[in-house]
């Protein structure tokens, strides 16, 4: 790729939530000297908030994805469907699986996270990882096919007590009950279990939200095994705490997030789990021409939850700082909000929510989530079709 000397090459790797938000802002207000490129594995980027709704069949897969093609057109960005597999930091180039290396002046990584699989025997061979999110729907669909082929006689387990795994389990339970009823079968042959190493489910949520989810799991006959660290996985069973065997036919693996292994060879400063350590201006602590946002970023001195909500919040400050870098102006700090709204869907058009320590639940909360999620997706579609109609956001100064 060549550029005129006056141009500043900004390369975005990964169509994660923060990059989608940043592209939208560049589309509303283009930066004249900025030459933008997005490298992403797939043109369609999943929106995590709606994925459990796709599993439960409240949405089609298309409804829960954002098409990066019109978004890139809007932002004047080149779209490169490829996978970054390395970085040449000295020569400022992204190494791709297929294309020739892509040069940058500023680089931003928003590549999400993967499920931590590495250390436990049998995990890679016998489980369905719930991350990365661009592969989760296909994997769950394959598992659903196997369960239906067994005519609904299956024990289904989720390993991990976080919101992603619990939402997936509740959505899948709802969907399988409908599938089996449509096939003239009942769902009494299905059994569900959540297995977590910790003493609580959803430790990052307030106690009120945890109690509500625990009650719902009980009402839905989902067994919960706390203080149960999976130490080995075999075909058809897991071993917990080194001694007890639990029979499970399908195992969804949703433990702590980990970073893509290829980052370890780049020379970027990483934290112990391989995430890119960033300053409050979202720049790598070791390489100021590299930014990292969303799950892949590790904020120095503050551990933010790995969630789509926080990833999205990084979009406007990232766009602002990339713009400022192109303009040669000082960068500004990102101050993430302490309190965010969490809405956890339970598969049956019902939601448990929490904000500022308060918790609530109901069908009305599902309708709120549905409206927020659909409006979010729609904001990208209408932006791509009619950029002139969008308000100029104050955050993108
Ligand atoms: C089932 C499920 C439900 C969830 N629900 C919620 C929710 O309701 N609310 C919430 O806040 N969080 C939720 N989460 C968490 C949320 O998905 C993540 O925290 C969020 O997606 C992180 O966003 P991100 O911007 O870091 O990257 P992601 O959204 O994960 O996107 C990363 C993108 O980068 C691309 N990519 C990755 N590697 C490369 C590469 N090497 N080269 C090119 N492209 C690459 C991928 O294709 C992917 O599209 C959920 C997670 C799961 C698994």
């Amino acid at each position: 790729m060549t550029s005129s000397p006056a141009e500043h090459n900004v390369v975005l790797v990964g169509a994660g939530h923060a990059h989608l938000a940043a592209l939208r802002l560049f589309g509303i207000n283009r930066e004249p000297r900025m030459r933008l490129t997005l490298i992403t594995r797939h043109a369609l980027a999943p929106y995590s908030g709606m994925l459990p709704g796709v599993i439960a069949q409240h949405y089609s897969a298309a409804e829960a994805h954002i098409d990066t093609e019109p978004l890139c057109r809007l932002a004047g960005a080149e779209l490169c469907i490829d996978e970054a597999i390395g970085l040449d930091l000295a020569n400022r180039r992204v190494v791709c699986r297929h294309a020739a290396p892509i040069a940058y002046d500023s680089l931003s990584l928003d590549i999400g996270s993967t499920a931590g699989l590495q250390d436990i025997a049998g995990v890679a061979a016998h489980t369905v990882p719930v991350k990365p999110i661009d592969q989760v729907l296909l994997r769950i669909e394959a598992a659903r096919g196997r369960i239906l082929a067994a005519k609904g006689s299956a024990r289904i387990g989720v390993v991990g007590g976080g919101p992603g795994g619990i939402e997936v389990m509740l959505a899948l339970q709802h969907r399988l009950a409908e599938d089996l009823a449509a096939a003239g079968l009942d769902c009494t042959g299905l059994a569900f279990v959540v297995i977590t190493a910790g003493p609580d489910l959803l430790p990052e949520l307030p106690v009120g939200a945890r109690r509500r989810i625990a009650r719902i799991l009980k009402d839905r006959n989902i067994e919960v095994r706390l203080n149960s660290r999976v130490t080995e996985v075999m075909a058809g069973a897991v071993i917990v705490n080194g001694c007890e065997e639990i029979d499970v036919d399908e195992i969804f693996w949703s433990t702590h997030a980990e970073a893509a292994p290829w980052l370890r060879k780049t020379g970027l400063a990483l934290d112990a789990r391989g995430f890119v350590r960033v300053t409050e201006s979202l720049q790598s602590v070791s390489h100021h021409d590299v930014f990292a946002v969303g799950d892949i970023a590790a904020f120095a001195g503050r551990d933010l939850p790995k969630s789509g909500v926080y990833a999205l919040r990084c979009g406007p400050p990232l766009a602002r700082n990339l713009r400022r870098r192109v303009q040669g102006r000082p960068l500004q700090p990102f101050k993430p909000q302490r309190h965010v709204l969490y809405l956890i869907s339970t598969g049956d058009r019902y939601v448990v929510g929490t904000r500022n320590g308060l918790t609530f639940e109901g069908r009305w909360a599902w309708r709120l989530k549905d409206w927020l999620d659909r409006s979010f997706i729609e904001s990208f579609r209408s932006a791509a079709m009619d950029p002139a109609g969008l308000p100029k956001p104050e955050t993108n100064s």
Side-chain angles (χ1 to χ4, degrees):
M1 178 185 294
T2 55
S3 61
S4 79
E7 281 180 328
H8 184 112
N9 268 330
V10 172
V11 174
L12 309 177
V13 176
H17 293 58
H19 280 173
L20 296 173
L23 279 165
R24 185 171 171 274
L25 292 171
F26 289 134
I28 297 166
N29 186 7
R30 283 197 193 179
E31 180 59 37
R33 283 184 53 237
M34 185 188 289
R35 182 181 167 137
L36 261 178
T37 303
L38 171 69
I39 304 171
T40 176
R41 287 200 289 234
H42 311 285
L44 295 178
Y47 170 47
S48 64
M50 288 170 86
L51 292 184
V54 177
I55 297 166
Q57 224 179 6
H58 304 318
Y59 308 115
S60 67
E63 283 176 302
H65 284 75
I66 292 165
D67 190 346
T68 55
E69 234 171 74
L71 192 60
C72 283
R73 226 178 300 126
L74 169 77
E78 193 172 320
L79 175 61
C80 175
I81 305 293
D82 208 327
E83 183 174 23
I85 53 169
L87 298 177
D88 175 357
L89 293 170
N91 296 302
R92 291 183 164 167
R93 295 198 302 182
V94 181
V95 182
C96 296
R97 188 171 295 284
H98 303 291
I102 295 178
Y104 63 83
D105 298 301
S106 297
L107 172 72
S108 177
L109 300 171
D110 183 15
I111 56 173
S113 52
T114 62
L117 304 176
Q118 289 74 11
D119 302 337
I120 300 169
V123 172
H126 301 298
T127 71
V128 180
V130 168
K131 287 184 173 185
I133 63 165
D134 57 338
Q135 284 153 37
V136 74
L137 289 179
L138 280 176
R139 287 176 171 159
I140 288 181
E141 197 49 27
R144 194 174 71 89
R146 290 192 293 271
I147 295 164
L148 293 178
K151 301 210 178 316
S153 172
R155 220 177 131 83
I156 298 156
V158 164
V159 179
I166 287 175
E167 278 194 304
V168 164
M169 168 149 285
L170 289 164
L172 191 62
Q173 188 194 42
H174 174 83
R175 173 76 177 275
L176 287 169
E178 292 200 334
D179 286 338
L180 292 170
L185 299 166
D186 68 28
C187 51
T188 49
L190 290 178
F192 295 87
V193 57
V194 181
I195 303 167
T196 182
D200 276 311
L201 294 180
L202 305 166
E204 63 279 15
L205 296 190
V207 71
R210 280 188 249 159
R211 282 205 192 112
R212 288 173 194 264
I213 292 286
R215 191 204 71 236
I216 289 167
L217 292 172
K218 190 161 179 252
D219 290 349
R220 305 251 302 250
N221 282 325
I222 296 177
E223 189 188 348
V224 177
R225 304 288 298 254
L226 303 175
N227 300 308
S228 301
R229 180 172 295 281
V230 172
T231 46
E232 191 182 337
V233 182
M234 303 167 293
V238 297
I239 306 286
V240 297
N241 300 330
C243 53
E244 188 190 351
E245 189 170 320
I246 303 177
D247 292 336
V248 216
D249 302 304
E250 291 290 339
I251 307 158
F252 296 94
W253 196 261
S254 183
T255 56
H256 63 276
E258 276 186 9
W262 62 265
L263 285 173
R264 291 204 184 268
K265 296 191 194 130
T266 58
L268 284 174
L270 307 177
D271 76 359
R273 285 190 292 155
F275 293 103
V276 181
R277 292 175 56 218
V278 295
T279 64
E280 57 180 6
S281 54
L282 302 170
Q283 289 164 291
S284 151
V285 297
S286 58
H287 295 78
H288 282 189
D289 47 359
V290 178
F291 293 70
V293 279
D295 279 7
I296 200 63
F299 287 88
R302 183 162 171 206
D303 202 12
L304 286 182
K306 305 284 183 209
S307 82
V309 177
Y310 277 106
L312 266 175
R313 291 274 157 89
C314 294
L318 173 72
R320 184 171 57 231
N321 278 345
L322 286 173
R323 197 184 291 281
R324 282 177 164 261
R325 214 174 120 78
V326 173
Q327 294 167 346
R329 295 164 69 197
L331 306 196
Q332 291 184 336
F334 166 53
K335 296 209 172 70
Q337 259 177 282
R338 212 159 270 283
H339 297 291
V340 294
L341 175 68
Y342 277 109
L343 298 170
I344 298 178
S345 58
T346 60
D348 49 355
R349 293 195 163 88
Y350 195 89
V351 153
V352 174
T354 168
R355 168 140 198 165
N356 290 6
L358 295 175
T359 63
F360 50 86
E361 65 181 87
R363 298 220 173 272
W364 66 268
W366 156 264
R367 286 194 291 276
L368 171 69
K369 177 170 166 52
D370 179 52
W371 179 78
L372 288 171
D373 287 343
R374 286 183 190 273
S375 309
F376 173 77
I377 290 272
E378 189 48 40
S379 72
F380 282 89
R381 297 203 173 123
S382 49
M385 286 168 66
D386 182 17
L390 283 164
K392 281 212 162 45
E394 287 165 20
T395 45
N396 195 26
S397 62

